[in-house]
Amino acid sequence: MTLPTSVEGVSKDHRVRSVGIGRAHAKAILLGEHAVVYGTPALALPIPQLTVTASAGWSSGAGDAQGDLSFTMTGSASRAVVTQASDGLRRLAAAFRARMGVPGRPHLDVILDGAIPPGRGLGSSAANSRAIVLALADLFGRDLSEQTAFDLVQTAENVTHGRASGVDAVTVGASAPLLFHEGRSQELSVGCEGLFIIADSGTAGSTREAVELLREGFGREAAAQGRFLRRAAQLVGEAQQALAEGDPGALGERMSDYHRLLAAAGLSTSRIDTMVEAALGAGSLGAKITGGGLGGCVLALTQPERARQVAGQLHEAGAVQTWVVPLRRLADHAL
């Protein structure tokens, strides 16, 4: 696998530190959701504005009923989210120790401080896992290759979501837009200008449920899977070409087409559809759900002079918060 970017914050001298730090960021799928699990390409964007930082240190207390690791998640995460993250973290820490040859079971304190809302299709679970893996590597003074980091994050993703394509595990550590296909990634050529507006619907989705819903739909009609995958691959290819050739209008149209593909498969919601229509009505070049579906976020492409109107209409349609990702900034990273 070709994996982008170098690993940050890993000790090169193998000395154990008192505190280890790891960082990662959010991601959005431009096109290719769900189809990527079946082997078709996907286009993915890093979202550097939304980050998570993990710090890992030594606990002064011995292991207790919670085992050999104490976990704190800052912010307003729900009890269910914290419980799930804590359980996943223990499995991830055990996998790290086994993979990296860390002896014993030292009691650790891990703090996760992030701005990525969970269940929104923004890769929060993958970003959390990557940040924690890097923090543990930093703490134990272990050199960590990108392939090993990916493998550990992907293991956690398979537990969280079921069968995971790997696109999230790669993109939460990337610095430029990516084409992801059958376990390999490469940086995309970006010739477009414009802004991506990401709008949170305020409703968490479920990738696992969405994957199962799509699979059930494929099972009811023999030709449904092939039809869905062929259309998805066509739209991804055309969007990749538009992105490289500097045609934001064509890119936006392919985004909207992909939303219709996902909505027809039952993966959108009434609020998401309303937000998509609001963005288009305000002058967005294209808009779609991003991520697994059944909730989450809308991704809209717009020109800078329309950004205020598009963001305003998204809020009027139900968005609880929005973020702006300049395409030129991503393009600069791709150079």
Side-chain angles (χ1 to χ4, degrees):
M1 171 176 293
T2 304
L3 293 167
T5 75
S6 59
V7 176
E8 296 180 47
V10 178
S11 173
K12 299 302 182 183
D13 56 10
H14 300 282
R15 290 181 298 178
V16 174
R17 299 187 178 188
S18 59
V19 177
I21 302 295
R23 299 180 179 87
H25 53 68
K27 67 84 183 134
I29 302 297
L30 180 54
L31 281 91
E33 293 94 334
H34 290 285
V36 68
V37 177
Y38 293 86
T40 63
L43 309 181
L45 307 169
I47 306 176
Q49 291 90 334
L50 293 176
T51 62
V52 58
T53 300
S55 59
W58 311 104
S59 174
S60 58
D64 53 21
Q66 296 298 313
D68 55 356
L69 189 146
S70 300
F71 174 64
T72 302
M73 178 180 284
T74 65
S76 57
S78 68
R79 183 183 298 273
V81 168
V82 173
T83 298
Q84 182 183 41
S86 181
D87 292 342
L89 171 56
R90 288 183 172 81
R91 289 192 293 269
L92 184 60
F96 176 88
R97 288 194 300 265
R99 180 72 177 260
M100 303 305 294
V102 175
R105 294 172 62 93
H107 192 82
L108 301 175
D109 284 329
V110 175
I111 299 174
L112 197 62
D113 182 14
I116 309 173
R120 301 303 200 273
L122 301 179
S124 63
S125 62
N128 290 346
S129 294
R130 179 178 171 88
I132 288 166
V133 165
L134 298 187
L136 292 174
D138 192 22
L139 179 68
F140 288 104
R142 294 297 200 272
D143 291 323
L144 190 66
S145 69
E146 274 293 347
Q147 184 64 58
T148 299
F150 170 84
D151 290 343
L152 288 167
V153 173
Q154 183 66 357
T155 297
E157 284 292 277
N158 283 329
V159 171
T160 301
H161 298 301
R163 181 186 174 193
S165 68
V167 64
D168 283 18
V170 172
T171 313
V172 295
S175 60
L178 299 177
L179 169 69
F180 184 91
H181 187 206
E182 295 183 333
R184 298 184 63 84
S185 63
Q186 66 183 63
E187 291 188 1
L188 285 167
S189 175
V190 180
C192 287
E193 300 225 14
L195 301 174
F196 286 111
I197 299 177
I198 301 166
D200 181 2
S201 70
T203 303
S206 171
T207 298
R208 186 184 291 271
E209 292 179 14
V211 167
E212 184 58 31
L213 177 66
L214 187 63
R215 184 180 296 115
E216 290 175 356
F218 289 163
R220 287 192 295 269
E221 183 184 349
Q225 179 173 327
R227 186 167 59 245
F228 179 91
L229 297 180
R230 285 191 297 272
R231 180 58 171 160
Q234 176 190 5
L235 293 175
V236 169
E238 291 174 355
Q240 181 183 359
Q241 181 177 359
L243 188 64
E245 294 179 351
D247 190 345
L251 175 60
E253 290 175 5
R254 299 294 81 76
M255 290 171 60
S256 297
D257 288 342
Y258 204 94
H259 176 76
R260 285 187 279 271
L261 179 68
L262 295 176
L267 300 174
S268 187
T269 67
S270 58
R271 175 174 289 191
I272 291 289
D273 290 341
T274 298
M275 290 169 61
V276 166
E277 291 304 316
L280 295 174
S284 173
L285 299 173
K288 62 182 285 291
I289 193 171
T290 183
L294 303 180
C297 291
V298 165
L299 179 68
L301 174 64
T302 184
Q303 300 289 24
E305 61 270 18
R306 302 296 300 176
R308 182 183 297 273
Q309 292 91 326
V310 171
Q313 287 303 305
L314 282 165
H315 281 281
E316 287 288 333
V320 298
Q321 54 187 335
T322 55
W323 305 275
V324 177
V325 182
L327 188 52
R328 174 50 55 191
R329 177 176 176 180
L330 297 178
D332 290 342
H333 281 294
L335 295 177

